[in-house]
Amino acid sequence: MELKQLVLSKAKEAKEASILIGKASTERKNKILNRMAEYLKHGKDELIKANGVDVQRAQEKGLSKALIDRLTLTEKRIDEMIKGLEEVVSLPDPVGEITKMWLRPNGMLVGRMRVPIGVIGVIYEARPNVTVDVTGLCLKAGNAVVLRGGSEAINSNTALVKILKQALKDEGMHDGVVSFIDIPQREAVLEMIKLEGLIDLIIPRGGESLIRTVTENSRIPVLKHYKGVCHVFVDRDADLEMAQEICFNAKVQRPATCNAMETMLVDEAVAEVFLPAMLKRFEQAGVQLKGCSRTKKIYPNVMDVTEEDFYKEYLDLILNVRVVKDIDEAIEHITKYGSAHSDAIVTRDYNKAMKFLREVDSSAVFVNASTRLNDGYQFGLGAEIGISTDKIHARGPMGLEELTCTKFIVFGSGQLRQ
Amino acid sequence: MELKQLVLSKAKEAKEASILIGKASTERKNKILNRMAEYLKHGKDELIKANGVDVQRAQEKGLSKALIDRLTLTEKRIDEMIKGLEEVVSLPDPVGEITKMWLRPNGMLVGRMRVPIGVIGVIYEARPNVTVDVTGLCLKAGNAVVLRGGSEAINSNTALVKILKQALKDEGMHDGVVSFIDIPQREAVLEMIKLEGLIDLIIPRGGESLIRTVTENSRIPVLKHYKGVCHVFVDRDADLEMAQEICFNAKVQRPATCNAMETMLVDEAVAEVFLPAMLKRFEQAGVQLKGCSRTKKIYPNVMDVTEEDFYKEYLDLILNVRVVKDIDEAIEHITKYGSAHSDAIVTRDYNKAMKFLREVDSSAVFVNASTRLNDGYQFGLGAEIGISTDKIHARGPMGLEELTCTKFIVFGSGQLRQ
């Protein structure tokens, strides 16, 4: 009961604060963000000390090296958070933008104006930098946040939130704009995602099991990112040199990311010319190759690919290779096995480029470019809060605009309903 | 188990069909819609016969007159459905529209293209016309539907869906584009809303309890419409004649709708001039008036309004009247008691008009126009599938555009991630 009340009171604070930050001018929001950055600069020692407690506990608990690495705050990492806030200051404010306006026959002007969503709940793992990154983006878009970071980072997050709240207060803003659920128990999450009417949107950031739990139990709309099973299709009319560069970049440049290629599809008409050099280059880069029977005929030094493999997100230097009959078979493959994340065609043929763009239903579809470019910065949206694989509200990289909704506004002169 | 399998198989059919209808050209979709309209014309007798069975059962069960009225199909109502389909044919196809396109420093063109959502599940009450209306809109936007209408209309819906499916088949289209769950048990709904991955969006249309049940149990995103507690604020700088017309229209023109006014807020500076004639006109129109203490002083012949009343959606000829100090108190009232649906200010003051537009966070905010105009047709969106009170994806009237999402498309020339 106490836990329930605590979560509820945090959400209520955020709701109250959201009305004030929603009305704040861009200037005011930027001043708050700059002050947050300034206070983080002054608070480095304090932050590193608090973080030390978390790191020591994590080591004692024997948590994995990767987790401890993500948990650790260094001076450099704090500088990155500060830089992140400063970048958000420089981004245009989406709130108040009128995206369209039109005149109706009865003389009234109808338009759509961007407005904040309200209160955004963010549930994430033990990565203290997320606390600051998420706050910056949500605040700039006029929203309050209810943060719930991984329990292993509780001391770091408490120290960070203290600083962020001080900046809000010193700028005369309600400090519920950043609300933090400092309850380590998992039940706190389950309470939080029931607070329909107080929290308007939940963004879970973390592993698939966290996201599934949140989605299954939430009464609040959830924006989420499931896996990225991404493809590059090398068409018979591709510039094969370009195809090699794109495929190599898509697989090797950073294989652990969601927009890295997992399966390379090659048109049978060019497979014999394209595959040997390509696969040799992958081998030399340490990529483990799994090929279909036709791939093996051309390049025997690959493992057998299974149908299951085609569904896998390796996040590693492993690649499926399949020879396909034509673009239709490639699109069929992507539709069946892909996760609608990032898919590319390499071709010089106009009609096939347009067909691929139209028929592949992924969050980003590329002609002659690497799937690795599916990213808020690369697309010019500025910082991103994640990549949505949902089809509702936002799809693909989510920047400031995706943290707003629109309302209709009407300039009338006495119009009535007939 | 059988029920579960049946629902699952319908959703799978719809998913399969959605890929085909998603790729169909506008021409093809319009041909299908026209054929549906044509077959409905020929099927009138059959439809009225099937409907007769439903109506008779409803009468035997002693269902309410209002419900039986909504259930009944007449020749006129079938003509309206046909007209509805023909109107949808005439609306522009949102699919494929590129809403924005920009050039990145590395030379790649990035844009957003509208694409269908996929499979839309619609859960509604015993109103057979919804079966056709919803199908028309979803299909035009390239989506397949899974329909689940009220069990009292099962014979009518079965007959309607048979006709719609025949039209799909005769146009060479997968008839799973219109999938219909012909299982009267309520459990079918609970199964349906768990089918994440097959159904992409759920739209419940009906009473608040239906919508709450769906929202609480769905794993699929839900777009919904809760109540409309709408306000008109008569500012001290209003054209009082215009204010009277707008308030009268907002309350009386059709009180049972969600965008009708429930509470009239009047600036104290004009209350004594404005209220007597206004309230007398309401009385003469049969409106039951509930006033605050200041209202009563000016016009004693009103009941006492309670705080609870301010939260109510009357959907009837009942009106709360409150005298407020100024625009700030009006906005505060709307923020606290309103449902963020449709709210209006009447004023000649530029600054107050702009302030109201900015600070009132409702799906539609009006200056000098009636709240009754919050409607897809009135706003020029064409037919609407409902009015969303959500803040995610769509807010306010939902037309064809709201039945799509966007994907990013990239025209590259060999760009790689650095």
Side-chain angles (χ1 to χ4, degrees), chain B residues 272-333:
Chain B
E272 282 181 44
V273 189
F274 179 70
L275 282 176
M278 180 80 247
L279 297 187
K280 192 162 178 205
R281 187 166 170 202
F282 275 134
E283 261 181 4
Q284 284 167 347
V287 178
Q288 183 191 321
L289 298 169
K290 298 186 174 196
C292 68
S293 59
R294 300 184 66 182
T295 303
K296 288 193 78 157
K297 265 188 215 151
I298 297 167
Y299 197 83
N301 194 23
V302 301
M303 293 168 64
D304 286 317
V305 68
T306 64
E307 193 177 356
E308 248 176 44
D309 287 333
F310 287 135
Y311 290 108
K312 282 187 192 153
E313 185 186 28
Y314 294 120
L315 299 171
D316 205 346
L317 285 178
I318 309 172
L319 177 70
N320 304 320
V321 184
R322 185 180 168 196
V323 176
V324 292
K325 229 171 56 203
D326 53 17
I327 186 176
D328 288 314
E329 200 172 71
I331 293 176
E332 229 170 76
H333 180 106

Side-chain angles (χ1 to χ4, degrees), chain A residues 102 104 112 117 249 357 360 363 365 367-368 372 378-379 391 393 402 407-408 410 412 414-415 417, chain B residues 102 104 112 117 249 357 360 363 365 367-368 370 372 378-379 391 393 402 407-408 410 412 414 417:
Chain A
W102 58 97
R104 296 293 301 147
R112 281 187 140 132
I117 288 174
N249 185 263
L357 275 185
V360 173
S363 88
V365 189
V367 177
N368 296 339
R372 285 279 299 119
Q378 298 294 327
F379 283 175
K391 301 178 85 176
H393 186 74
E402 284 68 31
K407 67 181 178 193
F408 284 95
V410 176
Q415 281 79 4
R417 179 77 175 259
Chain B
W102 58 97
R104 295 294 301 148
R112 282 188 139 132
I117 288 175
N249 184 263
L357 275 185
V360 173
S363 88
V365 188
V367 176
N368 295 340
S370 168
R372 285 279 300 120
Q378 298 294 328
F379 283 176
K391 301 179 83 175
H393 187 74
E402 285 67 32
K407 66 181 178 192
F408 284 95
V410 176
R417 180 76 174 260

Side-chain angles (χ1 to χ4, degrees), chain A residues 15-34:
Chain A
K15 174 84 178 177
E16 238 183 85
S18 72
I19 294 168
L20 300 169
I21 196 72
K23 288 196 269 193
S25 67
T26 309
E27 237 173 25
R28 181 124 195 256
K29 291 185 284 189
N30 285 344
K31 274 182 82 177
I32 296 170
L33 291 167
N34 280 325

Side-chain angles (χ1 to χ4, degrees), chain A residues 228-240:
Chain A
V229 178
C230 308
H231 305 76
V232 179
F233 168 54
V234 179
D235 178 53
R236 65 185 63 192
D237 293 312
D239 172 335
L240 293 184

Side-chain angles (χ1 to χ4, degrees), chain B residues 378-401:
Chain B
Q378 298 294 328
F379 283 176
L381 311 179
E384 67 175 40
I385 199 159
I387 295 185
S388 161
T389 57
D390 275 327
K391 301 179 83 175
I392 306 303
H393 187 74
R395 210 173 172 209
M398 297 186 286
L400 286 175
E401 277 189 11

Side-chain angles (χ1 to χ4, degrees), chain B residues 105-378:
Chain B
N106 66 356
M108 70 183 183
L109 264 173
V110 181
R112 282 188 139 132
M113 183 192 269
R114 278 197 197 286
V115 291
I117 288 175
V119 178
I120 298 180
V122 187
I123 299 162
Y124 52 104
E125 293 174 330
R127 303 178 65 169
N129 62 308
V130 174
T131 307
V132 176
D133 295 351
V134 152
T135 295
L137 283 165
C138 290
L139 190 154
K140 179 78 183 232
N143 301 291
V145 283
V146 179
L147 301 169
R148 210 293 184 173
S151 55
E152 300 86 355
I154 195 148
N155 289 290
S156 319
N157 284 334
T158 303
L160 282 166
V161 169
K162 198 181 144 202
I163 289 175
L164 300 176
K165 278 181 173 287
Q166 193 60 49
L168 285 161
K169 278 186 233 161
D170 291 353
E171 287 292 335
M173 177 50 70
H174 193 311
D175 73 344
V177 167
V178 181
S179 293
F180 171 56
I181 302 204
D182 51 355
I183 305 167
Q185 289 95 316
R186 213 185 159 95
E187 287 72 41
V189 173
L190 295 174
E191 285 304 325
M192 177 175 166
I193 60 183
K194 279 186 195 139
L195 299 178
E196 202 199 348
L198 289 176
I199 301 177
D200 297 290
L201 175 66
I202 295 283
I203 302 180
R205 291 180 44 152
E208 196 169 337
S209 85
L210 168 75
I211 296 176
R212 294 229 177 256
T213 308
V214 168
T215 306
E216 280 171 26
N217 294 289
S218 182
R219 293 188 191 166
I220 303 167
V222 177
L223 266 184
K224 57 191 171 292
H225 176 267
Y226 283 142
K227 60 183 180 175
V229 179
C230 308
H231 305 77
V232 178
F233 167 53
V234 180
D235 178 52
R236 65 185 63 193
D237 293 313
D239 173 334
L240 294 183
E241 246 173 79
M242 182 194 285
Q244 198 190 105
E245 294 307 320
I246 287 175
C247 291
F248 193 79
N249 184 263
K251 181 71 247 178
V252 176
Q253 194 255 350
R254 216 173 142 201
T257 55
C258 53
N259 52 18
M261 168 173 70
E262 306 294 1
T263 298
M264 181 172 74
L265 301 167
V266 181
D267 193 315
E268 59 179 20
V270 290
E272 282 181 44
V273 189
F274 179 70
L275 282 176
M278 180 80 247
L279 297 187
K280 192 162 178 205
R281 187 166 170 202
F282 275 134
E283 261 181 4
Q284 284 167 347
V287 178
Q288 183 191 321
L289 298 169
K290 298 186 174 196
C292 68
S293 59
R294 300 184 66 182
T295 303
K296 288 193 78 157
K297 265 188 215 151
I298 297 167
Y299 197 83
N301 194 23
V302 301
M303 293 168 64
D304 286 317
V305 68
T306 64
E307 193 177 356
E308 248 176 44
D309 287 333
F310 287 135
Y311 290 108
K312 282 187 192 153
E313 185 186 28
Y314 294 120
L315 299 171
D316 205 346
L317 285 178
I318 309 172
L319 177 70
N320 304 320
V321 184
R322 185 180 168 196
V323 176
V324 292
K325 229 171 56 203
D326 53 17
I327 186 176
D328 288 314
E329 200 172 71
I331 293 176
E332 229 170 76
H333 180 106
I334 293 168
T335 306
K336 181 166 180 192
Y337 301 105
S339 68
H341 195 292
S342 313
D343 297 293
I345 184 175
V346 188
T347 189
R348 284 174 304 200
D349 182 276
Y350 172 79
N351 289 317
K352 280 186 279 187
M354 297 313 286
K355 181 186 169 83
F356 193 87
L357 275 185
R358 218 167 37 237
E359 296 190 7
V360 173
D361 182 32
S362 301
S363 88
V365 188
F366 296 84
V367 176
N368 295 340
S370 168
T371 56
R372 285 279 300 120
L373 294 161
N374 187 4
D375 171 273
Y377 280 106
Q378 298 294 328

